[in-house]
Amino acid sequence: MEQDILDKPFLPLDRLRILKYFSLYSATVAIALLALFLNGIDLDFLGVVDPKLYPIIVTLYAAMTVVFMVLAFSTGQASYDHLIAFFLIDITLHSGLIYCSGSGTSLSYLMILTIAVGNALVSGQKGLLLSAWGAISLIFVEHQFDIKGLEYDYMKPGTLGVIFFLTALVIHALVKRLQLSVDINAVQADNLLSMEQLTKLVLKRLETGVLVLNNQNEIIFQNIAAQRLLGFPEPIRAVPEKLKKELDLFRKFPKYHPHTLKAGPTTPKVQPMFAPLMPGSDRGTVIFLEDTNIVYQQAQRLKQASLGKLAASIVREIKIPMQGIHKIAHEVSLASVSTGDKQRQLQIKQYSQQIEHIISNVQNMGNAKATEFAKTSLSNWATETVKALQPSILRGINVEMNISKNAQDAYFDPSQLRQVLSNLLENAAYFARMKNSENPDNARVQIVVTRTKVSQQGIIEVRDNGYGVGLDDLDHIYEPFYSSEQNKSGLGLYIARQFCDMNMARLDYIAAQEGAVFRITFPTNEQIERMLATREDFVLRDATKDAMSA
């Protein structure tokens, strides 16, 4: 059963507006009738039957409409309890005005509007009550005229009564249909709002960066991933210049394939993709930003198994004969001490050791197990690793540890990242010794553990005071077997980057005024947990809790 509108305490805003307009209309009519009477303007029908009662009823009618108008406008929310009383009194006073003015006056037609508005504001039987009360009041007035021997007409109240009920029924049908339409629109609007909120929530949590621009290149939507990939700690206010150039080319040539770009020296390399916000219009553009490092990491994981088999095969084929060469060279060096040919013997030993070092590196890469992510304290782990390496690869080097208070925990495989840090420190120590060969005490390596200001990601930097990386070598430093030194295998940085990729970390070279700076940027814990939640070949372990329990 439809709930009666009067069961609710207050009038909705849309119906309150109708009530305000009607109260203004009623007050205007009442004040106009009162003004005509007070100014002595005779319209030949107002108050002709009972001139003494007419001013009293007009005054009451005017006072009632003014009071109700004030209530409707002052409270801002009219109570339903007032409505029935107001309309019943309004109809009663209209009947009194008709009684004072005689049968056949046009005042009775004013009731039609009152009943129509009343049925629009109330519903069900209470709305029909107004129609019934209007018909009864008019019949009662005509009956009084009949008793007093005045001119009367029962046909008129009967006709008006039928009009009153038809008006009520029509208004109820219209209001019901309108209410149904309003409810449907409200549901659709709520669904659209929910879909909009859901879309925004999904876009904000995507690892893919999303920017939405209007046709003036103003950013109207952005997610956190876009801010992180472009290196902004706060919401982006303007499109970076490099990205804007790619966007301009796309708008000129819709089939243009944009190039990868880096917004800053420490930001990841991203692949932008463009799409019109609404195809066939210039309403705006959607920009998707993919972290190419993640795509590269996925490719690395796919080829890791085959690469491991290949590396194992190479090691098996080369390791035994090279060990034989090294042994023979050692025996020759012992047997030929008196010959004075030590230079060649040392060269044989040096080359054999170099090849053995290459084999060891390839073997480390081939024997790499599946990455086991453990939540580890960066500061503690870096300190322990550097201490363990100091007697060997860092021997004779001034080592500085700079650990920030805001360094945080990170997910990674400690055994794999130990190899990364070992390779970086070995390179740093080698080039620091080379540059400071005349004054070895000046050779310095600095390890910095902190986190980025923009994305709050943990970082480890290895800095040295060596020669740095030449401009010609920058594009090749991560290539296998590429080295600027003849006695270096060229696998150190290559393997370091492979292990970083397997740990979803990023290895970057940062230009510095002195020496070289290599930075390992770890993903946030939330990124690791989201990316590995659906994968069964990885185990997430909290090493910090394991250490405390041990």
Side-chain angles (χ1 to χ4, degrees):
M1 181 180 295
E2 182 183 0
Q3 184 182 13
D4 197 309
I5 197 169
L6 290 176
D7 293 338
K8 301 176 183 179
F10 292 105
L11 199 64
L13 293 179
D14 54 347
R15 298 189 180 185
L16 179 61
R17 190 180 299 112
I18 296 175
L19 180 62
K20 288 180 179 180
Y21 291 149
F22 181 72
S23 64
L24 282 173
Y25 157 77
S26 299
T28 302
V29 171
I31 293 173
L33 292 175
L34 184 61
L36 290 173
F37 175 78
L38 294 177
N39 291 323
I41 300 175
D42 188 6
L43 297 180
D44 295 332
F45 68 90
L46 295 178
V48 295
V49 174
D50 194 341
K52 293 182 179 180
L53 182 60
Y54 178 77
I56 297 174
I57 294 178
V58 169
T59 303
L60 289 174
Y61 182 54
M64 187 271 298
T65 54
V66 170
V67 169
F68 204 81
M69 180 185 68
V70 171
L71 287 176
F73 277 90
S74 62
T75 60
Q77 200 175 31
S79 171
Y80 274 108
D81 297 336
H82 302 156
L83 289 180
I84 287 293
F86 171 73
F87 286 111
L88 290 177
I89 294 173
D90 186 277
I91 292 171
T92 302
L93 292 177
H94 264 102
S95 301
L97 293 175
I98 295 171
Y99 173 78
C100 295
S101 302
S103 179
T105 62
S106 57
L107 291 175
S108 57
Y109 295 107
L110 296 177
M111 282 190 183
I112 298 176
L113 181 60
T114 301
I115 290 173
V117 173
N119 278 275
L121 297 180
V122 297
S123 61
Q125 296 178 354
K126 294 177 182 179
L128 296 176
L129 173 63
L130 300 179
S131 301
W133 182 249
I136 292 171
S137 299
L138 291 179
I139 292 173
F140 177 78
V141 170
E142 295 297 331
H143 181 64
Q144 292 299 316
F145 289 153
D146 185 13
I147 293 174
K148 292 183 178 181
L150 299 174
E151 181 182 355
Y152 66 92
D153 183 3
Y154 285 106
M155 181 63 71
K156 186 174 183 179
T159 304
L160 286 174
V162 172
I163 295 175
F164 292 163
F165 279 100
L166 288 176
T167 302
L169 294 175
V170 171
I171 293 297
H172 285 174
L174 292 175
V175 168
K176 188 174 182 180
R177 177 162 295 193
L178 181 62
Q179 188 62 45
L180 180 61
S181 177
V182 169
D183 291 341
I184 292 174
N185 290 337
V187 171
Q188 291 178 343
D190 185 63
N191 290 338
L192 289 174
L193 182 61
S194 299
M195 288 299 297
E196 180 184 3
Q197 296 297 328
L198 178 61
T199 302
K200 287 184 177 180
L201 180 63
V202 171
L203 290 176
K204 286 182 179 180
R205 293 181 63 84
L206 278 179
E207 288 298 320
T208 300
V210 180
L211 290 175
V212 181
L213 312 181
N214 59 17
N215 54 358
Q216 283 86 31
N217 285 344
E218 296 173 344
I219 300 174
I220 58 178
F221 177 82
Q222 58 185 285
N223 64 355
I224 298 176
Q227 299 172 16
R228 174 178 57 82
L229 293 173
L230 295 177
F232 285 84
E234 298 177 349
I236 306 170
R237 300 187 180 276
V239 181
E241 192 62 31
K242 292 181 180 179
L243 184 59
K244 187 175 181 300
K245 289 180 180 179
E246 296 294 323
L247 177 59
D248 292 339
L249 288 172
F250 168 76
R251 286 176 173 170
K252 291 180 181 178
F253 310 102
K255 294 185 179 180
Y256 171 73
H257 183 72
H259 297 91
T260 57
L261 57 91
K262 291 187 68 172
T266 60
T267 59
K269 185 181 289 186
V270 297
Q271 173 65 62
M273 292 175 287
F274 306 106
L277 183 59
M278 294 183 65
S281 68
D282 57 350
R283 296 288 296 274
T285 307
V286 183
I287 304 176
F288 299 97
L289 302 171
E290 288 285 353
D291 188 348
T292 57
N293 192 41
I294 294 178
V295 178
Y296 181 73
Q297 290 166 359
Q298 293 172 347
Q300 289 299 110
R301 286 193 293 271
L302 291 175
K303 73 176 185 180
Q304 188 62 34
S306 59
L307 185 61
K309 293 179 181 178
L310 177 62
S313 300
I314 296 174
V315 168
R316 283 196 303 269
E317 294 296 327
I318 299 178
K319 187 174 183 178
I320 295 177
M322 288 313 304
Q323 286 177 344
I325 293 174
H326 186 269
K327 182 178 179 181
I328 293 172
H330 180 67
E331 292 174 353
V332 169
S333 65
L334 293 177
S336 307
V337 173
S338 60
T339 63
D341 196 14
K342 296 184 63 176
Q343 183 65 29
R344 292 186 178 181
Q345 297 163 8
L346 290 175
Q347 287 178 348
I348 294 175
K349 185 177 181 180
Q350 182 180 0
Y351 288 141
S352 61
Q353 288 177 339
Q354 183 178 349
I355 296 176
E356 189 173 0
H357 186 61
I358 294 174
I359 293 173
S360 177
N361 283 332
V362 175
Q363 191 172 22
N364 288 336
M365 184 171 58
N367 293 337
K369 58 180 176 56
T371 304
E372 182 179 345
F373 287 87
K375 190 176 183 181
T376 308
S377 170
L378 279 182
S379 56
N380 294 339
W381 176 83
T383 302
E384 294 172 0
T385 303
V386 171
K387 284 183 179 179
L389 296 174
Q390 199 159 3
S392 54
I393 62 177
L394 295 176
R395 185 177 63 255
I397 297 291
N398 294 317
V399 179
E400 298 178 10
M401 290 288 294
N402 186 354
I403 299 177
S404 174
K405 294 181 179 179
N406 62 2
Q408 59 186 25
D409 299 340
Y411 276 116
F412 59 91
D413 189 319
S415 62
Q416 293 179 351
L417 264 294
R418 177 188 172 91
Q419 183 66 43
V420 174
L421 191 57
S422 174
N423 290 0
L424 295 179
L425 290 173
E426 183 178 358
N427 281 350
Y430 176 81
F431 289 105
R433 291 192 187 99
M434 279 190 61
K435 185 178 179 181
N436 300 279
S437 57
E438 296 181 0
N439 193 357
D441 293 337
N442 289 338
R444 185 179 72 254
V445 172
Q446 184 182 25
I447 299 95
V448 178
V449 182
T450 181
R451 63 180 176 182
T452 61
K453 295 180 180 179
V454 176
S455 55
Q456 300 297 305
Q457 295 174 273
I459 60 173
I460 296 179
E461 288 186 354
V462 176
R463 305 174 180 177
D464 62 65
N465 62 342
Y467 292 109
V469 179
L471 295 177
D472 296 336
D473 299 325
L474 277 178
D475 295 333
H476 308 284
I477 57 176
Y478 299 115
E479 294 179 3
F481 303 108
Y482 179 87
S483 176
S484 59
E485 301 295 321
Q486 292 184 353
N487 59 344
K488 300 286 287 183
S489 67
L491 285 174
L493 289 178
Y494 172 75
I495 294 174
R497 191 170 194 181
Q498 298 299 309
F499 280 134
C500 282
D501 291 338
M502 292 168 61
N503 284 265
M504 299 184 187
R506 193 174 70 250
L507 179 61
D508 295 307
Y509 170 76
I510 302 174
Q513 292 182 350
E514 181 185 23
V517 179
F518 284 90
R519 173 184 290 184
I520 306 171
T521 304
F522 295 87
T524 63
N525 298 340
E526 292 77 11
Q527 289 173 325
I528 288 287
E529 291 166 357
R530 281 202 301 269
M531 294 177 69
L532 300 184
T534 58
R535 300 184 57 179
E536 299 179 356
D537 56 336
F538 284 97
V539 177
L540 292 179
R541 184 167 55 84
D542 195 333
T544 56
K545 293 183 180 179
D546 295 345
M548 293 177 62
S549 61

